[in-house]
Amino acid sequence: MNENILKNLAWNAGNYMKFETERPQTWCTGCGNFGIQNALKRALVLEGFDQKNVLFCFDVGCSGNGADKIEGYSLHGLHGRVISLAAGAALANENIKVISFGGDGATFSEGPGHLIHAVRSNYPMIFVHHNNENFGLTTGQASSLTKKGAKMNASPDGVFLDPINTMDFVLGLKPSFVARGFSGDIDYLTELFRKALRHDGFAYLEVLQSCPTYNRDTPEHWYADRVKHIEDAKNYDSSDIWQARKLVEDLNDEIYTGVIFEDKSKMNFLRAIPNRKNTKTVLKDEVKRYGISEFL
Ligand code: SF4
């Protein structure tokens, strides 16, 4: 192997370790969460981030247990409430990149109201939706995204309701950035994370992932057989919301991943506030100690 390649590999490995931790692993073998977090760590390194300029905010769930597996500032919030927590942090300090994570139970059963207003407000942050189509941490109950007919632990006769089409839901809210990836397609997912990190506004990144322990209807190969890249969709224009909504209708046969929609003209919340117009300074609240006992 040539010397430059070896040097690059060593550099990447060294930097990659910036977000690694020695804490013990609790995800099941084969879980899609591994691929998601690996892609994120790679993207952060490739975009030049380190621990001091990123905040990770985790909802409750298997995705939330990712808090143990990444080194850096992190918060673990209440179920379904991570977006509001993360938005507060993002609005308080523009010098940090806020990345929040929630599963399908948290996002589309417990807390969709927070998602609606974050998209509408275009808060400057990333939300990563881990979509494994069930409540994994509580042992495999159906979520509002579980496929119709799937036999889950608390619905042994099969789910009888249609799942929410999450991508169409978000696209209906006039978003500024909507992307979808697959946990088994790590190189491509890394590039999606990089694009989300560069986006100035609310970046919604949904990642399709298998849950081999509880969701037997959609194993890794089910996705691998269906997932396609947006670059292969003929004449696709990611600035056209109606093309995007049409493209995401299909949840079962051809599932496109990539940046599905982007509106670069929409100003993020802090730029859009009328009384901050023409303000050159950034909002910044330095890390310091606060007494919180009066609130407890
Ligand atoms: Fe992953 Fe499912 Fe295990 Fe949770 S229960 S860690 S989502 S495989």
Side-chain angles (χ1 to χ4, degrees), residues 177-190:
F177 182 98
V178 176
R180 179 164 58 191
F182 165 47
S183 61
D185 191 2
I186 297 178
D187 285 345
Y188 194 72
L189 183 57
T190 302

Side-chain angles (χ1 to χ4, degrees), residues 26-34 61-63 65 132 134-140 209-215:
T26 55
W27 285 328
C28 311
T29 303
C31 177
N33 285 324
F34 290 104
C62 290
S63 59
N65 288 350
N132 57 22
N134 82 115
F135 285 86
L137 192 69
T138 49
T139 68
Q209 66 159 111
S210 59
C211 169
T213 305
Y214 293 118
N215 196 340

